[in-house]
Every structure is written in structure tokens, then in C-alpha cells.
Amino acid sequence: MSTRNRANPLALAILICLYERPMHPYEVATTLRQRHKHESVRLNYGSLYAVFASLERRGLIVPQGTQRSGRLPERTIYALTDAGRVEAHDWLTELVSTPVKDYPEFEAALSFLPALPPDDVVSLLGERAVALEVELAEMRSTRELFAKGDLPRLFWVEVEFRERLRESELAYVRALAAEIGAGELEGMQWWRAIHDDPDGPAASQYSNIDVIEGGGA
Amino acid sequence: MSTRNRANPLALAILICLYERPMHPYEVATTLRQRHKHESVRLNYGSLYAVFASLERRGLIVPQGTQRSGRLPERTIYALTDAGRVEAHDWLTELVSTPVKDYPEFEAALSFLPALPPDDVVSLLGERAVALEVELAEMRSTRELFAKGDLPRLFWVEVEFRERLRESELAYVRALAAEIGAGELEGMQWWRAIHDDPDGPAASQYSNIDVIEGGGA
DNA sequence: AGTAGGATACTCGATTCAGAGTACCTTATT
DNA sequence: AATAAGGTACTCTGAATCGAGTATCCTACT
């Protein structure tokens, strides 16, 4: 219930897996890996057993029995409770209906951009553009594999989505690199100045100006 | 150096702040908040002092002296070392030049979509589209504020970028909702079937098929 | 049949984190 | 001058996390 408990996406993945049938932790991990969920969701298998324990504490799953193969440790099989079914449904509903603020690393990079000299930035953005093109090519071939494997689109909408986002990013990177390269970006004079002469008169001009109160509705 | 140390973006934000001049931890936090960095970077001020301590241990910053106002605890002022300057430069360079895999929450949501009934999904996507429109309107007004405040574009490229991504998301959400609503998405029959009759013959048909080996180059 | 090499199935501990908590200061009020 | 309200400057704690470690199993080769 507490939103704090919804921080770990592995927990949701587990609940949804157990929706199908009771499993033991390792089987859940294997299933998720087989279905390539780790490509769309951040899953720390390191905390697998801790997350199962926390779900049990919260009454969302119950141990159903154990099973043993060879002399490996016993495997506890867990099943979803009614509360678990409700939680999985509510969580997923919220995830689909309500946008949250994500923090893509590149957004952070952009916000610190003035700390690097403009010429360096142009070539670094060029590197990124190339890498993004390679990644997009890979994604397209993955999609072809999916299509050939007769897996209906329903099961790979997330791959399409990721592709759209990366395409937008590539377009933005190209446009920005071109603008900086052409010296057309607003603020370029100051940017050049502080990197040519770090102690020059321009150094402090903007040091405090990006203080804008309010912003947004 | 170890990539593990580059996990926390607050550390980079601190290094870049100290690039300007030595400060005490609380002053760094205040500066970052004033510059709205928390909107583009995930900054946990809860671990502020821990991160300063870790940067000092790694030799990237050094305490320069202390200062005291009233009977508040002493404030330690930290300065960047040469190693710290190098680390900040290298880290930022990597961030700009090399795309990493982010995990937007909505991508996770999409990958679990078949767990909800299709009709529900259509209306949830509709909700999301509305919320995204509101958010985009807010972002545009924030940008206008920036522009009026005479803050050069150089300092808000990250806001533009975020806007482009959200626009792509909105377009995708609308298209997907329309396709599902029209019953045109590949896999719809199966999707309808398992939600109309969870134990029916369709239930297991795809339960294992999204196992595709390889994928990507 | 014995065993080397690699994959599989967990376990453990040091580190890091988020959020709640607390003490202090400043300002406003009477 | 006393006190209340609100913000500032930290501190603490339980929980989460990552990576490294260990034990077991399977396969192939001699």
C-alpha cells in the first residue's frame, strides 16, 4: 500500500509471475529472464530472496510447500494471496495510467553541459549519435526476430516504445550538435569565454542567474 | 574510477558545484536546488553528508577549513582536488558520449500489459494521455518563464529534451490506445480470451512462447 | 569410472540509501 | 520579553542493494 513499497519493480514482476501459478523464487527468476523482462524492467536478482521475504511479510504471497532436487537447498514454493492479486492489479493500473518523472541519465548530462568546452561537446554528441544509430539497428533486427518467431505484437509493444524514445533522442542530439557546431546556441559567447579564460570577466556573469522562482503551474 | 562509484548522480552534481568554488555541504544542496537541478537529476539530499564523506575517502575532495554561525554545528568547507577535477571531467564526458540503458517505468508497464483486460487498458491509456497533455502544457509555460528570465537556451537544453521525450510518449500512447480500441493489435483474440475465461483453452497457449533466444546483434 | 570446466542455485556481508527525526535558528506576534 | 510558527542544518536507523563467494549439478573427455 505505502508507495514506498512500490519502489522495487522486481516485486511487481514476481506478483505477476505468480498470477500464472505458484513457483519457487529461482523459477520466477528464470521465467522472467526467458521472457526478456530484464530488458524493459530493472530486475536485481541479487535481492530476489529478500523481495520474496518482504512480499510474504506484507501478506501478498504465502509459502505453499517445499520441493527438493538432489542435495541443493530446499526450494520454497510461493503462491499469490488475494491481497497479492489486488496489489498486482492496482500497481499495474497505476503504472499504466499515471506518468511519473523518470530521470534519464542523458538529461542529467545535458543539465551539466556548460561544464565542458563547447567544441568537446560537439564531438561527444557526435559519438553518442553514432552509438544510438547502432543501437537502433540492433533493436530493429530484434523486432524482426520477434515477428518471425510469431510472437504477436501485444508481447513486444515495450520494444517499439523504447525504439520511439531512442529515435527522438537521436534527432535531438543531432539537432543540438549542429546548433552548437554552428555557434548558434543562445549563450555561446559566455560558454566560449569561460573555457578560454576561466578567470575572465565572464566567469561569474551567469554563476547565479539560473535561479528562477516558480516555474510551471 | 570503478564504475560502481559512478552510480550516484548527486556525487557528480557536487563535484561540478565545487568546480566553481569551495563550499560546505549545505551550501551545495541549496545551490543545486536553486538551479532546479533536482528536476533533471535524481538527487537524494538524505545521503548528502555520506556522499561528501565518500568523495573525501576517494581523494576527490578535501576539507579546507570550517566555519560556524551561531550555535549550529560546524560547517566543513570542501574543495575539489586535481583528481576530483579529472573525475568530474571524465564522468561527464562519458555521460554525454555514451548512451546507457534507462528503465522508464512506462516501459515496464507496457511489458506487463497482457495482465490487464484490454478494455481497461484502453481507458487507462486515455487517462495517461490526458495527464501527459497537462504536463506538456506546464513544461511549455516553464520554458516561457526561462526565456523571459533571459536565461540563455544553453542552460535549459535539458528541459527541451524532456519535452521531446514526453511528446514521443504521448504520440505512442495515443496510437496504441487507438489500435487496441479498434481491436487491431496482433494477439487481441488471445488477450480477450484469457480475460473472458481465465481457465479456457487459450490460457496456456502463449504462456511460454515469448521465449526467443538471441535477439539483437 | 574419474575428473575438469562451466553453468546453476543460492548465501552473505559491506556499503548505500531514503525518509523520519531532532535540535537549532529566525521571524512574527502580542 | 515571551512564545509560536516555520525553515535550516544536520543525524539516525532500518531496509535495500551489489557483488563476491560457495556449493551443487551437468557434460564431455580420457
Side-chain angles (χ1 to χ4, degrees):
Chain A
M1 325 265 150
S2 123
T3 74
R4 188 72 202 80
N5 287 327
R6 293 200 172 154
N8 188 348
L10 176 55
L12 176 60
I14 291 170
L15 292 178
I16 289 181
C17 248
L18 295 183
Y19 222 101
E20 289 176 24
R21 61 187 169 78
M23 299 189 196
H24 58 82
Y26 193 80
E27 190 181 1
V28 168
T30 305
T31 304
L32 292 173
R33 218 171 306 158
Q34 274 185 343
R35 297 184 186 174
H36 294 257
K37 291 305 178 201
H38 55 283
E39 281 167 23
S40 7
V41 190
R42 179 174 268 128
L43 304 170
N44 318 329
Y45 297 116
S47 51
L48 185 65
Y49 296 87
V51 173
F52 265 86
S54 138
L55 291 173
E56 185 185 347
R57 238 183 300 121
R58 291 164 56 200
L60 304 178
I61 61 176
V62 276
Q64 247 211 344
T66 63
Q67 156 189 317
R68 176 184 281 269
S69 73
R71 282 205 292 162
L72 283 175
E74 268 199 344
R75 292 155 165 179
T76 306
I77 295 178
Y78 290 89
L80 216 52
T81 63
D82 287 339
R85 243 176 296 277
V86 169
E87 172 65 5
H89 177 272
D90 290 359
W91 190 349
L92 186 51
T93 295
E94 193 189 329
L95 225 48
V96 174
S97 66
T98 313
V100 300
K101 178 133 195 36
D102 294 312
Y103 293 88
E105 287 207 359
F106 187 52
E107 197 182 322
L110 286 175
S111 85
F112 295 134
L113 223 46
L116 291 174
D119 297 335
D120 293 8
V121 168
V122 172
S123 68
L124 294 173
L125 289 176
E127 268 183 58
R128 171 173 275 263
V130 171
L132 285 172
E133 276 161 16
V134 170
E135 205 190 313
L136 277 166
E138 282 173 12
M139 288 171 123
R140 285 182 191 120
S141 76
T142 302
R143 260 199 318 156
E144 275 169 35
L145 252 173
F146 278 153
K148 279 204 196 110
D150 285 322
L151 187 61
R153 266 188 60 210
L154 170 59
F155 295 102
W156 35 275
V157 282
E158 72 273 18
V159 182
E160 278 185 0
F161 175 66
R162 188 163 56 228
E163 210 177 318
R164 292 295 96 74
L165 288 189
R166 282 306 206 198
E167 283 165 359
S168 300
E169 180 177 333
L170 178 56
Y172 190 79
V173 166
R174 282 205 182 113
L176 184 60
E179 269 188 292
I180 299 173
E184 283 165 4
L185 185 66
E186 235 190 312
M188 286 296 297
Q189 310 80 350
W190 173 83
W191 196 3
R192 285 245 160 75
I194 60 151
H195 286 282
D196 290 346
D197 174 13
D199 301 316
S204 59
Q205 192 181 346
Y206 284 117
S207 63
N208 285 313
I209 76 161
D210 33 358
V211 180
I212 293 193
E213 301 308 326
Chain B
M1 324 264 151
S2 122
T3 74
R4 186 68 202 77
N5 288 327
R6 294 201 171 154
N8 189 348
L10 175 56
L12 176 60
I14 290 169
L15 292 178
I16 289 181
C17 249
L18 295 183
Y19 222 101
E20 289 176 24
R21 60 186 168 76
M23 300 187 196
H24 57 82
Y26 194 80
E27 189 181 2
V28 168
T30 304
T31 305
L32 291 173
R33 219 170 307 162
Q34 273 185 344
R35 297 185 186 173
H36 294 257
K37 291 304 178 201
H38 55 282
E39 281 167 24
S40 10
V41 190
R42 180 175 269 127
L43 303 171
N44 320 325
Y45 295 113
S47 50
L48 184 65
Y49 297 86
V51 173
F52 265 86
S54 138
L55 291 173
E56 183 183 349
R57 240 183 298 124
R58 290 163 57 200
L60 304 178
I61 61 177
V62 276
Q64 247 211 345
T66 62
Q67 156 188 318
R68 175 186 282 270
S69 72
R71 282 203 294 163
L72 282 176
E74 268 198 343
R75 293 156 163 180
T76 306
I77 295 177
Y78 290 89
L80 215 52
T81 63
D82 288 339
R85 243 177 297 277
V86 169
E87 172 65 5
H89 177 271
D90 289 359
W91 190 349
L92 186 50
T93 295
E94 194 188 326
L95 225 47
V96 174
S97 66
T98 312
V100 300
K101 173 125 200 44
D102 295 312
Y103 293 87
E105 286 207 0
F106 187 53
E107 197 181 323
L110 286 175
S111 86
F112 296 132
L113 223 45
L116 291 174
D119 297 336
D120 293 8
V121 168
V122 171
S123 68
L124 294 173
L125 289 177
E127 268 183 57
R128 171 173 275 262
V130 171
L132 286 172
E133 277 162 16
V134 171
E135 204 191 315
L136 277 166
E138 281 172 12
M139 288 171 122
R140 286 184 191 118
S141 77
T142 302
R143 260 198 316 154
E144 276 170 36
L145 250 172
F146 278 152
K148 278 205 197 113
D150 285 322
L151 187 60
R153 264 188 61 210
L154 169 59
F155 294 103
W156 36 275
V157 281
E158 73 272 17
V159 182
E160 278 185 0
F161 176 66
R162 188 163 53 228
E163 209 178 318
R164 290 295 97 72
L165 288 189
R166 283 305 207 197
E167 283 165 359
S168 300
E169 181 176 332
L170 177 56
Y172 190 79
V173 166
R174 282 203 183 117
L176 185 60
E179 269 189 293
I180 299 174
E184 282 165 6
L185 185 65
E186 235 189 312
M188 286 295 297
Q189 310 80 348
W190 174 83
W191 196 2
R192 285 246 158 75
I194 60 152
H195 285 282
D196 291 345
D197 173 14
D199 301 316
S204 60
Q205 192 180 347
Y206 284 116
S207 62
N208 284 314
I209 78 161
D210 33 357
V211 180
I212 294 194
E213 301 308 325

